[in-house]
Amino acid sequence: MAYNLLKGKKGIIFGALDENSIAWRTALKCYEEGAQLVLTNAPVALRMGEINKLAEAVKAPVIGADVTNMDDLKKLFEESMKHFGGGIDFVLHSIGMSLNMRKGKSYTEIDYEWNKKTLDISSMSLHRVLRTAWDMDALNEGASVVALTYIAAQRVFPDYNEMADAKALLESVTRSFGYNYGIKKKVRVNSVSQSPTRTTAGSGVKGFDGFITYAEKMSPLGNASADQCADYCVTLFSDLTKMVTMQNLFHDGGFSSTGVTEAVINQMEKE
């Protein structure tokens, strides 16, 4: 059921790769709620993914942009504002890539040059996006920016590797830029810490299948799906959350506040 929560709003969705991705599901929900969209991803992801299928479904142009390149981001915002005929009301940052994980390096032996690229793409890209919007005055008064993160930024999940550090930095950028943008233009900047989700990227984490089962048993409400995360993002883009900013918001079925559940204890006793 749609509520027209985003009627008249215009937004940019970063990171939609295929129909399993949270960015993809969020784009569909935003369109359903009345938003106009621009879709963007890295040039290599545009070649690998199926974004044109999504673009057709939500009637949005696709504008490629390397998030580590300020010229690309400037072009993205220029073309988006031209397409919309004005400023932007919301942005979803759904970007993450770990070279060390991809290359099979453990946390204790990470390659530091690869690590720099991981932090650049997964974390500082949010700063670049916000900086570009700031310099160009691209975001409308009271706009909303959401970045997707994970609880490994606060707690140890061994196989999450260097991405835990990247998410911690991402959450810090959310707070620090959120403070400045709030003062300047009442722009809200928040991160959403989502349950482990069967996306193309998430499924590439070592031991993912076992962990998603564990998280399901540890969450009183169960794991939140990609579509449920999309619903939550819609509320954050809407006018219903105008006083929510600089927050890391857990969307995980209660996992983050649970010490242990009966389901986990029962499973351990069986073993």
Side-chain angles (χ1 to χ4, degrees):
M1 180 184 294
Y3 302 93
N4 282 324
L5 289 176
L6 303 181
K7 186 177 181 179
K9 292 190 181 294
K10 303 168 178 65
I12 300 176
I13 303 288
F14 284 82
L17 182 65
D18 56 38
E19 61 186 9
N20 294 317
S21 69
I22 293 173
W24 186 293
R25 310 313 298 181
T26 303
L28 290 174
K29 292 286 184 180
C30 289
Y31 178 71
E32 184 181 325
E33 290 294 338
Q36 295 179 51
L37 301 172
V38 164
L39 305 175
T40 185
N41 213 329
V44 64
L46 295 181
R47 292 193 297 271
M48 291 170 51
E50 305 169 338
I51 198 169
N52 288 331
K53 177 181 171 184
L54 175 63
E56 185 177 339
V58 300
K59 298 179 174 55
V62 177
I63 303 172
D66 175 353
V67 290
T68 67
N69 186 305
M70 293 294 282
D71 289 336
D72 272 18
L73 288 174
K74 182 179 179 183
K75 180 184 175 186
L76 168 64
F77 277 98
E78 283 176 346
E79 292 189 11
S80 296
M81 293 170 75
K82 183 177 179 181
H83 171 71
F84 291 140
I88 294 151
D89 299 300
F90 65 89
V91 174
L92 176 71
H93 179 282
S94 180
I95 301 165
M97 193 279 294
S98 167
L99 280 172
N100 280 288
M101 289 176 70
R102 186 177 292 178
K103 303 282 189 179
K105 288 277 191 181
S106 71
Y107 186 76
T108 55
E109 55 184 27
I110 59 175
D111 181 295
Y112 296 116
E113 290 305 312
W114 291 346
N115 180 248
K116 288 177 185 176
K117 291 181 180 178
T118 295
L119 297 177
D120 207 18
I121 294 168
S122 305
S123 312
M124 293 310 294
S125 59
L126 177 62
H127 196 288
R128 284 193 179 87
V129 167
L130 292 167
R131 167 74 183 275
T132 303
W134 174 284
D135 288 347
M136 296 176 65
D137 197 25
L139 298 185
N140 290 328
E141 184 92 5
S144 175
V145 179
V146 171
L148 298 182
T149 184
Y150 185 55
I151 195 175
Q154 289 86 33
R155 303 182 189 176
V156 175
F157 294 89
D159 293 326
Y160 205 63
N161 205 307
E162 64 175 349
M163 278 302 296
D165 298 343
K167 293 301 188 185
L169 177 56
L170 180 78
E171 291 174 19
S172 180
V173 171
T174 297
R175 290 186 295 272
S176 297
F177 224 120
Y179 168 80
N180 287 282
Y181 232 145
I183 290 174
K184 180 180 184 180
K185 213 171 182 183
K186 299 192 183 306
V187 169
R188 298 162 279 154
V189 186
N190 295 289
S191 56
V192 169
S193 188
Q194 165 71 357
S195 297
T197 311
R198 291 190 184 280
T199 62
T200 301
S203 298
V205 177
K206 182 182 174 184
F208 181 80
D209 287 341
F211 179 68
I212 200 169
T213 301
Y214 166 75
E216 181 76 24
K217 290 181 180 293
M218 273 288 290
S219 307
L221 299 181
N223 289 329
S225 69
D227 279 327
Q228 289 168 329
C229 186
D231 285 338
Y232 192 43
C233 289
V234 164
T235 68
L236 293 170
F237 295 147
S238 79
D239 291 340
L240 299 177
T241 51
K242 278 193 167 293
M243 297 304 290
V244 181
T245 193
M246 300 163 61
Q247 302 300 306
N248 180 46
L249 302 163
F250 289 99
H251 186 257
D252 60 6
F255 180 93
S256 52
S257 294
T258 304
V260 71
T261 60
E262 287 185 23
V264 170
I265 292 173
N266 291 339
Q267 184 65 40
M268 292 173 66
E269 288 178 343
K270 287 178 184 178
E271 296 173 356

